Amino acid sequence: WNTESKPNYGRSDSYRVATTQDKDDRSPKKKKGAATKDMDDLKKEVPITEHKMSVEEVCRKFQTDIVQGLTNAKAAEFLIRDGPNALTPPPTTPEWVKFCRQLFGGFSILLWTGAILCFLAYAIQAATEEDPAGDNLYLGIVLTAVVVITGCFSYFQEAKSSKIMESFKNMVPQQALVIREGEKVQINAEEVVAGDLIEVKGGDRIPADIRVVSAHGCKVDNSSLTGESEPQSRSPDCTHDNPLETRNVAFFSTNCVEGTARGIVICTGDRTVMGRIATLTSGLETGKTPIAKEIEHFIHIITGVAVFLGVTFFILAIILGYSWLEAVIFLIGIIVANVPEGLLATVTVCLTLTAKRMAKKNCLVKNLEAVETLGSTSTICSDKTGTLTQNRMTVAHMWFDNQIHEADTTEDQSGASFDKSSVTWIGLARVAGLCNRAQFKAGQDSLPILKRDVAGDASESALLKCIELSCGSVRAMRDRNKKVAEIPFNSTNKYQLSVHETEDPNDNRYLLVMKGAPERILDRCSTILLQGKEQPMDEEMKEAFQNAYMELGGLGERVLGFCHVMLPEDQYPKGFAFDTDDVNFQTDNLCFVGLMSMIDPPRAAVPDAVGKCRSAGIKVIMVTGDHPITAKAIAKGVGIISEGNETVEDIAARLNIPVSQVNPRDAKACVIHGTDLKDLSQDQMDDILRNHTEIVFARTSPQQKLIIVEGCQRLGAIVAVTGDGVNDSPALKKADIGVAMGISGSDVSKQAADMILLDDNFASIVTGVEEGRLIFDNLKKSIAYTLTSNIPEITPFLLFIIVNIPLPLGTITILCIDLGTDMVPAISLAYEAAESDIMKRQPRNPFRDKLVNERLISIAYGQIGMIQALGGFFAYFVILAENGFLPSILVGIRLNWDDRSVNDLEDSYGQQWTYEQRKIVEFTCHTAFFVSIVVVQWADVIICKTRRNSVFQQGMRNKILIFGLFEETALAAFLSYCPGMDVALRMYPLKPTWWFCAFPYSFLIFVYDEVRKLLLRRNPGGWVERETYY
Amino acid sequence: CLSVSSPRSAGSIHCEWREFFWNPRTHELMGRTATSWGLILLFYLVFYLFLAGMFVLTMYIMLLTLDDYKPTWQDRLTTPGMMIRPKGDQLEISFSVSNTESWDGFVQNLNNFLSPYNDSYQVQTNDNCPPDQYFIQEDSGEVRNNPKRSCQFNRTMLEECSGVSDRFYGYSRGEPCILIKLNRVIGMLPGKDGQSPYVTCGAKREDSDKIGRLAYYPPNGTFNLMYYPYYGKKAQVNYTQPLVAVKFLNASVNTDIYVECKINSNTLADGNERDKFAGRVSFKLRINDK
């Protein structure tokens, strides 16, 4: 399935959901048809229909029995037919393929081409000359070695992070309780087949997609599938056409939180909803990373320059009368000389360093190239649950004494507190603590309250923790008020009550406490507790209640009402037998105490991180499976919908006009419901993404998340997706960079992602963006630095060909520069601090802001490189002249100079030289040229530190860079002076004065570039900037 | 080429390229307008002119520091090279006695080489110096003692190998003459205590029985001290490089003989191992009798 080339008609239809068949028969490409169709199929909504069937029909369909379950024979038969109930693991790439990808991917191609050309040139020489120079052979070998070594390096680097990945997988085999031939048996979850009757209870993982046939207070946590943070109750009735919404289907790999249920397996393995998503994910093609595209563009430029130079000088050589073969060798030599041998290693090391730095800040990068992607990101599609929020219901607000109080929802309890002295609050806390079945699991006393595990429903846990935090031990409270009777929550009553003895041993009355849906609770109340005094519930109070209820509900919070009553002792004396089945006690005329509302609160660092993203020009879109109101509330809470921005609905409500009359352009924010998304055409979708800066998608299916990501990409955005659930994984995979959560994330999502936030903190993304942008800038500098020395490396060869002077710089010395002295300074630029606040500028435009552009080439090759070349040539001429060969006799001397049989070559002073004697001088020139390049590269690395600022503004705080300067100088001195180098590398000791030849040129580079940057800063947007700012 | 917004296809890519080369709407050639091209070319012209100026300036300063008569460094010339004449493409003297054409080239080569050594010319231009001592012509302080005079090396000093008595330098009889010269190095003093350096030739390894008797001219194969020191091409315009001739009197025929000649001096250091021509010279001799 291919986004780029295929015409788009009909595609949006195919997304359009659910049960409709794919009507249009698009088959211009029949060959691809099968695979394409598969993917399109997967993209459609879930095709489950069993939820609409009656239990009998389901039984018939699967040839099973509602009491006895499958027979063992049938089960075995189905197991053979359908295969084991397990997800097909995504096709893992064999290690050697991964290795080859490192060896032959991207930049390596350039070096391979160079190496092959070298071998070709050597072959030509070997075939035509008696005693071929080994240079081309050595160069070919070195190039090959460089590619192989760098390939191994990055292969092991990635292998390391995939090892960390593997440690995430937990391989505990899952068990399932099935009923076969009337007997309950515990079997391996993999052996479950369609038609099996299975039982699940609180704490179990659901082993397959099941159609519930009976349930007792069963709740499942669907958050990894749909993103809803609240557990959903399950019952045998079909409540919705959409299988994902209906109550009578429970899904593979979701968790049963409480209660028990019995159901018939309807899908297993890859056919489950989860399996389809996983298959969809692994089938998605992902595009190239932005940095890979940049490197490709860079290779184009370099190849262009190389071929241009090569062909020009090939023609020149022919004109100058060289033979065809010689000219071809020159052509190859020039092309190969343009290959920056060290750059591959430099780029790899720079990316690795950043990846390490990010790993330290809890961003684990799976793929080296993804390091930069976050920096280019222009849109972040973030999942809500678990990423933006804590994935933990927490009491957020309370309403008592006719006033809304805010509870502390922060993770570290640093938030605001409310007045806890009110008598009403004590009453409310008592109701919430007593009428609550949740309790802390044993053995966690040392943990902070918020970190403790709780057995029970999410909202009860929230209440428990809230009360424990503000009133001390709930257990003690419960001990003091012994429970006498209890009616658990059910969906018809919509309340829960319990009867307790009072704390006061002298008071023999019973205390009845009740909580439930606020409107139901209110109906049962005749009084209300205000400042500790019972007052009659009048219309005014009812309205106040309604307002509070509306307000809290509008915040996307789940609201519960609480009430209590002291049962009169005369009617309910001590020892009264409370019958909970046939209620024999008072359940109305109660006293209303207050409301408490809960929400999965945003993580503390998120609003700040969202703000930073926004100031960095990154659009943050929330995509969640949760309800629009909750989503909108969280979006407002974290700043995804910023203060003062309204949706169409908000404007309509404010102006009191129908939604249809509002100009959608007036609303910057919008909340889009999944069901509306289904009906949108591609154009409408683009329109929404383009015209709204603050978007929330609610109730979205995994497939829709994918459509949203594709929509953003269609508009040219580089999209990052964060998520933790299986439902996010297709989007994670499709995104330019998928970011999964290390702690809460599902394996599937981590598998699909490129980056993992080890601390699950959205704020770490900001770090990632910052590091990514920095490395992009710094890679530019590194490349500018490395490319510059290409000119002083090529020009000697060109002049050697054209004006027939002795070769000023040899292959070995070129390699010493590219793979020796240039390396550390180039890498040190990766440590360079940002010039300005990189989080305050817009994300780079991938079409305009290239890693390497003509301006960089112009500066590096046309300007700085030329100065460097002159520096090198100056040293060359100085050495030859001081040895007796004045520049005037050098031109045209090459034929005799390189002739081994001429051993009495005359210099300008009349002295005569043997071949070896003058070669030593020539090699000394190579050494001096090499040293000169080191000297001019000092200046180059200093000017490359900044692209706009002066070095005096930037400072020399980059210690690695300073080390690099000393290192390259020491290396150059070592290569020149170490005894034995004359034999090993043909490098000779230099007279001290020869070191200083290039100094004026080094100085010129520094001054020239400072002046250029000064002009650049003085005239923003001026000619200098247009022509030289890279 | 106006449908920029249309989806990319082969045609539009071609179109993009054409537009890149010449965009008729914006009048852009290769992505730049005429003014833009003009400015950038002007910039590079000025920039390169400036660089050229700077380079010329530094070169000029460097040349000012050089001495006209003696190079700054001579440390690579401590052992002077040696060379033979006649010399073909390779250091190989191979000929057939009976085939005149095979050695005619050598004879021509020697004739040409020796023409400045003609006695008449030498007597005319050069001095007859006292032998076995250096011919030192010091400058007195700042005042240069130029032009410096040179000593005569007369062709006849080579006797049998002078080409005077035997026009064919012995090649016609299978007794070839090889001239050996010591490379000129300014200021080099190749001997002390009045002892001139001399050349000895020998065969390499197993060829020693094939080489036969040798005759050296001038006697003992010496480079007389009076030809040293050399003062350089500018100061000593008419310097005549001394020669030693070696005549192979009865070398084996029809076989390759590897000959090595070296200088024997009490001042010159032995050349380094790698340089096969410092203080020595090797060549291949092959005389065919047919």
Side-chain angles (χ1 to χ4, degrees):
Chain A
W1 183 78
N2 189 337
T3 347
E4 282 74 31
S5 64
K6 236 177 87 185
N8 287 326
Y9 58 81
R11 210 175 68 186
S12 56
D13 285 345
S14 77
Y15 287 143
R16 244 182 232 175
V17 213
T19 42
T20 52
Q21 280 299 313
D22 195 358
K23 271 175 264 162
D24 65 326
D25 205 10
R26 96 189 80 87
S27 53
K29 291 178 183 171
K30 282 228 163 142
K31 270 186 196 166
K32 263 193 168 177
T36 314
K37 190 100 184 156
D38 255 14
M39 288 311 285
D40 277 355
D41 250 10
L42 286 169
K43 280 203 176 177
K44 276 183 278 175
E45 306 295 326
V46 185
I48 289 175
T49 53
E50 281 83 357
H51 61 288
K52 286 189 270 188
M53 300 179 182
S54 69
V55 174
E56 290 71 33
E57 279 174 310
V58 176
C59 284
R60 220 171 301 132
K61 182 175 173 191
F62 292 103
Q63 305 165 32
T64 183
D65 187 273
I66 188 68
V67 182
Q68 300 286 313
L70 284 175
T71 61
N72 282 327
K74 268 270 182 292
E77 184 194 320
F78 287 161
L79 187 62
I80 292 166
R81 187 192 63 190
D82 297 336
N85 174 35
L87 298 184
T88 320
T92 47
T93 341
E95 291 300 305
W96 68 270
V97 172
K98 283 192 205 162
F99 184 61
C100 286
R101 241 179 242 161
Q102 294 296 346
L103 269 191
F104 300 104
F107 208 69
S108 321
I109 294 293
L110 191 67
L111 295 198
W112 278 119
T113 318
I116 290 166
L117 285 177
C118 281
F119 290 129
L120 183 72
Y122 182 73
I124 294 176
Q125 284 175 312
T128 54
E129 294 169 29
E130 266 180 39
D131 187 16
D135 285 15
N136 277 320
L137 183 65
Y138 304 146
L139 188 56
I141 293 171
V142 169
L143 283 176
T144 315
V146 168
V147 189
V148 172
I149 291 170
T150 339
C152 292
F153 180 78
S154 37
Y155 170 75
F156 285 118
Q157 202 56 42
E158 289 194 1
K160 235 196 259 166
S161 43
S162 56
K163 251 190 214 135
I164 304 179
M165 279 295 300
E166 273 162 23
S167 67
F168 286 130
K169 288 183 189 165
N170 46 357
M171 287 304 204
V172 186
Q174 228 192 306
Q175 297 285 309
L177 189 66
V178 303
I179 299 162
R180 285 186 183 164
E181 301 185 348
E183 279 179 44
K184 288 187 182 179
V185 274
Q186 190 89 25
I187 60 166
N188 210 327
E190 288 201 354
E191 290 161 21
V192 170
V193 296
D196 260 333
L197 193 59
I198 65 167
E199 246 179 36
V200 287
K201 58 178 190 312
D204 285 356
R205 205 168 184 204
I206 295 175
D209 285 1
I210 58 173
R211 160 72 158 86
V212 177
V213 293
S214 67
H216 296 282
C218 174
K219 283 194 175 176
V220 289
D221 174 10
N222 273 356
S223 63
S224 82
L225 188 64
T226 60
E228 290 157 307
S229 34
E230 289 174 35
Q232 311 287 305
S233 64
R234 295 288 103 161
S235 64
D237 327 304
C238 174
T239 53
H240 204 284
D241 273 355
N242 186 339
L244 284 174
E245 305 257 351
T246 184
R247 290 255 173 94
N248 60 355
V249 180
F251 297 100
F252 175 51
S253 94
T254 59
N255 285 310
C256 179
V257 185
E258 60 176 64
T260 58
R262 184 180 275 213
I264 297 170
V265 173
I266 49 176
C267 298
T268 58
D270 289 337
R271 289 166 301 281
T272 59
V273 173
M274 202 66 93
R276 288 165 58 90
I277 296 171
T279 319
L280 172 62
T281 308
S282 61
L284 281 176
E285 299 267 335
T286 45
K288 284 188 186 127
T289 58
I291 196 77
K293 285 182 200 156
E294 290 306 319
I295 287 179
E296 200 170 87
H297 179 248
F298 169 55
I299 290 178
H300 285 164
I301 291 188
I302 284 288
T303 320
V305 173
V307 170
F308 170 74
L309 270 180
V311 170
T312 312
F313 281 86
F314 175 78
I315 296 169
L316 256 173
I318 295 283
I319 293 171
L320 287 173
Y322 286 97
S323 74
W324 276 95
L325 275 178
E326 277 176 309
V328 168
I329 305 254
F330 289 158
L331 171 74
I332 294 176
I334 292 167
I335 291 178
V336 173
N338 272 287
V339 177
E341 290 91 351
L343 203 51
L344 173 63
T346 307
V347 170
T348 313
V349 172
C350 288
L351 289 177
T352 310
L353 288 174
T354 308
K356 287 214 162 142
R357 206 151 50 186
M358 285 165 92
K360 247 186 229 162
K361 295 178 183 168
N362 290 321
C363 291
L364 178 72
V365 183
K366 280 170 66 186
N367 168 1
L368 265 193
E369 286 179 350
V371 164
E372 187 275 327
T373 314
L374 260 188
S376 323
T377 298
S378 52
T379 305
I380 297 178
C381 291
S382 179
D383 180 39
K384 176 181 78 73
T385 314
T387 313
L388 299 174
T389 66
Q390 304 169 18
N391 199 12
R392 170 168 70 80
M393 284 305 245
T394 306
V395 174
H397 292 97
M398 291 162 227
W399 181 74
F400 56 86
D401 292 344
N402 197 9
Q403 200 179 343
I404 289 178
H405 300 268
E406 201 171 316
D408 183 5
T409 55
T410 56
E411 286 130 287
D412 53 358
Q413 288 299 302
S414 56
S417 189
F418 58 94
D419 175 26
K420 288 173 183 160
S421 59
S422 164
V423 184
T424 320
W425 160 244
I426 294 167
L428 183 60
R430 189 172 61 183
V431 180
L434 293 178
C435 187
N436 190 332
R437 299 174 69 182
Q439 54 191 13
F440 290 110
K441 290 184 182 165
Q444 303 187 84
D445 293 340
S446 55
L447 287 172
I449 291 166
L450 285 173
K451 293 255 169 74
R452 291 186 203 167
D453 265 349
V454 178
D457 171 277
S459 29
E460 292 206 328
S461 315
L463 293 173
L464 174 69
K465 284 181 179 172
C466 173
I467 306 303
E468 183 94 9
L469 273 174
S470 44
C471 303
S473 171
V474 173
R475 179 190 292 256
M477 189 205 283
R478 288 180 189 165
D479 287 346
R480 289 196 302 270
N481 301 273
K482 286 235 172 58
K483 196 190 282 178
V484 184
E486 178 178 45
I487 301 177
F489 183 87
N490 73 47
S491 47
T492 38
N493 286 345
K494 295 208 185 248
Y495 69 78
Q496 172 183 1
L497 73 76
S498 55
V499 182
H500 299 259
E501 291 172 3
T502 52
E503 294 179 28
D504 184 356
N506 302 325
D507 188 350
N508 284 331
R509 288 179 301 172
Y510 287 103
L511 171 69
L512 183 146
V513 288
M514 183 193 266
K515 77 160 192 268
E519 65 277 9
R520 296 294 180 93
I521 298 293
L522 187 73
D523 288 346
R524 295 174 181 273
C525 292
S526 55
T527 54
I528 182 165
L529 199 63
L530 288 173
Q531 268 83 27
K533 299 211 174 61
E534 248 183 270
Q535 314 246 340
M537 176 69 86
D538 51 13
E539 285 306 311
E540 196 186 333
M541 274 329 293
K542 278 188 180 169
E543 203 179 313
F545 161 86
Q546 275 306 337
N547 288 339
Y549 184 25
M550 290 293 283
E551 187 174 344
L552 295 178
L555 293 172
E557 297 177 4
R558 175 203 259 190
V559 192
L560 288 176
F562 297 85
C563 62
H564 68 189
V565 73
M566 295 299 272
L567 295 174
E569 197 178 358
D570 50 344
Q571 285 179 43
Y572 307 98
K574 192 154 175 78
F576 182 86
F578 291 97
D579 184 351
T580 53
D581 291 329
D582 183 19
V583 179
N584 62 350
F585 50 90
Q586 174 191 2
T587 57
D588 46 15
N589 284 325
L590 310 176
C591 170
F592 191 86
V593 185
L595 296 171
M596 287 175 94
S597 66
M598 281 147 286
I599 198 163
D600 177 12
R603 288 166 179 277
V606 170
D608 190 35
V610 170
K612 278 187 182 161
C613 286
R614 184 151 293 143
S615 65
I618 301 171
K619 191 165 162 180
V620 183
I621 296 177
M622 181 195 277
V623 182
T624 175
D626 215 335
H627 294 276
I629 299 175
T630 321
K632 189 174 166 189
I634 295 291
K636 285 198 163 162
V638 299
I640 285 180
I641 295 180
S642 49
E643 229 167 286
N645 271 353
E646 294 175 303
T647 63
V648 174
E649 291 78 16
D650 289 336
I651 296 176
R654 177 165 53 86
L655 301 177
N656 220 350
I657 52 170
V659 171
S660 56
Q661 286 181 15
V662 181
N663 180 3
R665 292 289 159 89
D666 293 343
K668 279 195 175 160
C670 67
V671 178
I672 292 162
H673 197 281
T675 46
D676 301 333
L677 190 60
K678 278 193 284 202
D679 303 329
L680 291 180
S681 72
Q682 193 170 304
D683 288 343
Q684 286 172 307
M685 176 83 182
D686 289 357
D687 206 49
I688 288 171
L689 290 174
R690 204 178 291 128
N691 294 323
H692 293 91
T693 48
E694 301 173 346
I695 311 175
V696 172
F697 289 98
R699 297 310 277 171
T700 48
S701 67
Q703 285 83 350
Q704 287 172 334
K705 293 191 178 188
L706 187 55
I707 297 168
I708 294 164
V709 172
E710 282 172 358
C712 295
Q713 286 175 333
R714 202 165 43 236
L715 297 181
I718 291 179
V719 184
V721 170
T722 68
D724 56 351
V726 174
N727 57 332
D728 301 312
S729 53
L732 285 173
K733 183 83 179 282
K734 185 70 203 172
D736 294 284
I737 179 165
V739 184
M741 300 295 140
I743 303 169
S744 61
S746 56
D747 288 346
V748 181
S749 68
K750 284 181 204 162
Q751 214 51 260
D754 305 294
M755 185 183 270
I756 293 162
L757 300 184
L758 295 173
D759 58 354
D760 283 21
N761 192 347
F762 184 81
S764 305
I765 289 182
V766 177
T767 317
V769 171
E770 201 169 353
E771 291 290 348
R773 289 186 175 188
L774 187 58
I775 195 62
F776 189 81
D777 283 2
N778 286 349
L779 270 183
K780 267 189 182 183
K781 298 173 183 174
S782 257
I783 291 176
Y785 171 78
T786 315
L787 283 189
T788 309
S789 63
N790 247 6
I791 286 296
E793 287 164 9
I794 299 170
T795 41
F797 188 55
L798 301 183
L799 283 183
F800 167 77
I801 295 173
I802 301 174
V803 292
N804 286 317
I805 54 174
L807 187 64
L809 186 68
T811 313
I812 291 172
T813 31
I814 290 179
L815 289 177
C816 284
I817 296 162
D818 283 347
L819 301 175
T821 56
D822 266 5
M823 286 299 255
V824 177
I827 291 167
S828 75
L829 285 170
Y831 288 95
E832 196 55 39
E835 281 175 70
S836 54
D837 192 348
I838 41 178
M839 292 306 279
K840 287 269 155 60
R841 65 179 194 218
Q842 292 296 302
R844 81 184 172 93
N845 179 334
F847 301 107
R848 272 189 289 108
D849 305 338
K850 292 291 186 190
L851 181 64
V852 174
N853 48 30
E854 316 80 63
R855 297 182 294 281
L856 188 148
I857 296 288
S858 170
I859 281 273
Y861 277 10
Q863 294 157 43
I864 309 297
M866 287 300 174
I867 305 180
Q868 293 197 336
L870 289 185
F873 274 106
F874 180 57
Y876 164 83
F877 283 120
V878 166
I879 289 180
L880 282 174
E882 291 195 346
N883 274 287
F885 293 93
L886 295 183
S888 50
I889 68 154
L890 287 177
V891 175
I893 206 176
R894 181 176 77 87
L895 270 185
N896 283 328
W897 183 278
D898 287 339
D899 187 342
R900 283 173 186 280
S901 69
V902 176
N903 283 294
D904 50 358
L905 188 75
E906 201 175 307
D907 67 16
S908 311
Y909 290 88
Q911 305 187 100
Q912 292 170 317
W913 294 71
T914 67
Y915 177 79
E916 186 64 27
Q917 283 164 348
R918 60 182 188 261
K919 278 290 162 181
I920 289 179
V921 172
E922 182 188 320
F923 288 123
T924 311
C925 288
H926 293 186
T927 314
F929 208 114
F930 159 75
V931 163
S932 300
I933 293 181
V934 170
V935 169
V936 286
Q937 285 285 66
W938 291 342
D940 194 27
V941 76
I942 289 170
I943 63 163
C944 283
K945 275 165 66 75
T946 56
R947 293 187 297 144
R948 183 183 288 273
N949 286 350
S950 161
V951 179
F952 300 106
Q953 292 169 313
Q954 180 83 352
M956 289 291 285
R957 281 184 294 273
N958 185 344
K959 290 201 181 71
I960 312 284
L961 188 138
I962 292 170
F963 165 77
L965 284 173
F966 284 105
E967 184 266 357
E968 68 171 330
T969 314
L971 182 59
F974 172 81
L975 287 173
S976 170
Y977 294 113
C978 177
M981 278 301 162
D982 53 340
V983 183
L985 295 176
R986 300 241 65 182
M987 292 175 86
Y988 287 85
L990 298 182
K991 312 271 176 220
T993 48
W994 294 340
W995 281 77
F996 297 96
C997 297
F999 272 56
Y1001 294 90
S1002 202
F1003 184 68
L1004 175 67
I1005 289 175
F1006 181 77
V1007 172
Y1008 171 73
D1009 210 63
E1010 278 296 319
V1011 170
R1012 179 182 72 85
K1013 283 179 206 154
L1014 181 70
L1015 293 174
L1016 203 106
R1017 291 193 300 274
R1018 283 278 167 82
N1019 306 301
W1023 186 82
V1024 179
E1025 173 160 347
R1026 284 200 312 277
E1027 294 293 351
T1028 68
Y1029 182 67
Y1030 55 87
Chain B
C1 263
L2 291 169
S3 54
V4 184
S5 58
S6 74
R8 275 173 149 241
S9 67
S12 78
I13 285 168
H14 171 76
C15 195
E16 271 173 31
W17 269 102
R18 221 170 52 199
E19 244 181 35
F20 172 71
F21 278 114
W22 173 246
N23 187 335
R25 279 175 297 121
T26 52
H27 292 271
E28 283 174 349
L29 179 71
M30 318 262 281
R32 284 175 181 276
T33 59
T35 345
S36 169
W37 271 115
L39 270 174
I40 193 78
L41 290 179
L42 180 71
F43 164 74
Y44 270 108
L45 180 74
V46 171
F47 181 71
Y48 287 150
L49 279 178
F50 168 74
L51 283 190
M54 163 128 181
F55 188 69
V56 167
L57 179 74
T58 50
M59 286 294 279
Y60 178 72
I61 293 170
M62 182 270 289
L63 291 174
L64 284 184
T65 66
L66 296 182
D67 189 311
D68 281 349
Y69 299 95
K70 196 171 184 228
T72 317
W73 307 103
Q74 288 183 292
D75 50 348
R76 295 295 169 201
L77 293 172
T78 45
T79 312
M82 286 175 81
M83 203 49 190
I84 57 162
R85 287 288 182 275
K87 174 188 167 296
D89 279 345
Q90 300 297 317
L91 290 171
E92 194 178 319
I93 313 292
S94 171
F95 64 95
S96 300
V97 177
S98 53
N99 183 359
T100 321
E101 276 173 27
S102 70
W103 44 259
D104 192 46
F106 297 131
V107 171
Q108 286 301 322
N109 194 313
L110 286 176
N111 280 338
N112 287 340
F113 181 73
L114 285 177
S115 60
Y117 290 87
N118 285 335
D119 291 15
S120 51
Y121 180 73
Q122 286 295 323
V123 169
Q124 208 173 10
T125 53
N126 290 347
D127 294 8
N128 198 352
C129 317
D132 298 326
Q133 64 182 58
Y134 292 126
F135 184 40
I136 298 201
Q137 308 165 69
E138 281 303 317
D139 298 326
S140 48
E142 285 300 297
V143 186
R144 295 225 176 246
N145 173 18
N146 286 344
K148 299 196 194 306
R149 285 162 299 126
S150 309
C151 300
Q152 293 176 8
F153 188 96
N154 294 329
R155 193 168 173 169
T156 46
M157 289 160 77
L158 297 174
E159 300 172 47
E160 291 293 302
C161 291
S162 64
V164 180
S165 50
D166 177 358
R167 275 197 309 131
F168 305 123
Y169 304 93
Y171 283 80
S172 59
R173 284 177 283 124
E175 294 170 6
C177 282
I178 309 285
L179 301 183
I180 293 169
K181 63 194 186 77
L182 190 65
N183 278 355
R184 294 193 292 260
V185 175
I186 293 175
M188 178 181 71
L189 302 171
K192 59 181 179 191
D193 309 328
Q195 204 160 21
S196 299
Y198 62 96
V199 174
T200 50
C201 290
K204 279 187 183 167
R205 285 154 308 190
E206 67 274 20
D207 294 345
S208 50
D209 49 336
K210 300 178 198 159
I211 193 165
R213 277 190 302 116
L214 304 173
Y216 298 95
Y217 311 100
N220 301 326
T222 53
F223 293 113
N224 201 293
L225 287 186
M226 65 180 173
Y227 301 106
Y228 301 95
Y230 174 51
Y231 284 103
K233 160 162 112 171
K234 194 169 180 193
Q236 208 169 9
V237 183
N238 293 321
Y239 180 74
T240 306
Q241 200 167 6
L243 301 171
V244 167
V246 181
K247 193 172 175 72
F248 294 82
L249 296 175
N250 58 347
S252 304
V253 292
N254 301 330
T255 179
D256 289 347
I257 307 170
Y258 291 92
V259 184
E260 186 182 78
C261 298
K262 56 181 234 201
I263 189 84
N264 299 280
S265 147
N266 49 15
T267 57
L268 297 178
D270 276 344
N272 82 45
E273 252 329 281
R274 294 167 67 91
D275 193 348
K276 297 277 179 272
F277 296 92
R280 55 190 163 153
V281 59
S282 312
F283 57 95
K284 189 175 98 180
L285 179 69
R286 185 185 178 95
I287 308 167
N288 295 324
D289 55 356
K290 292 213 179 70

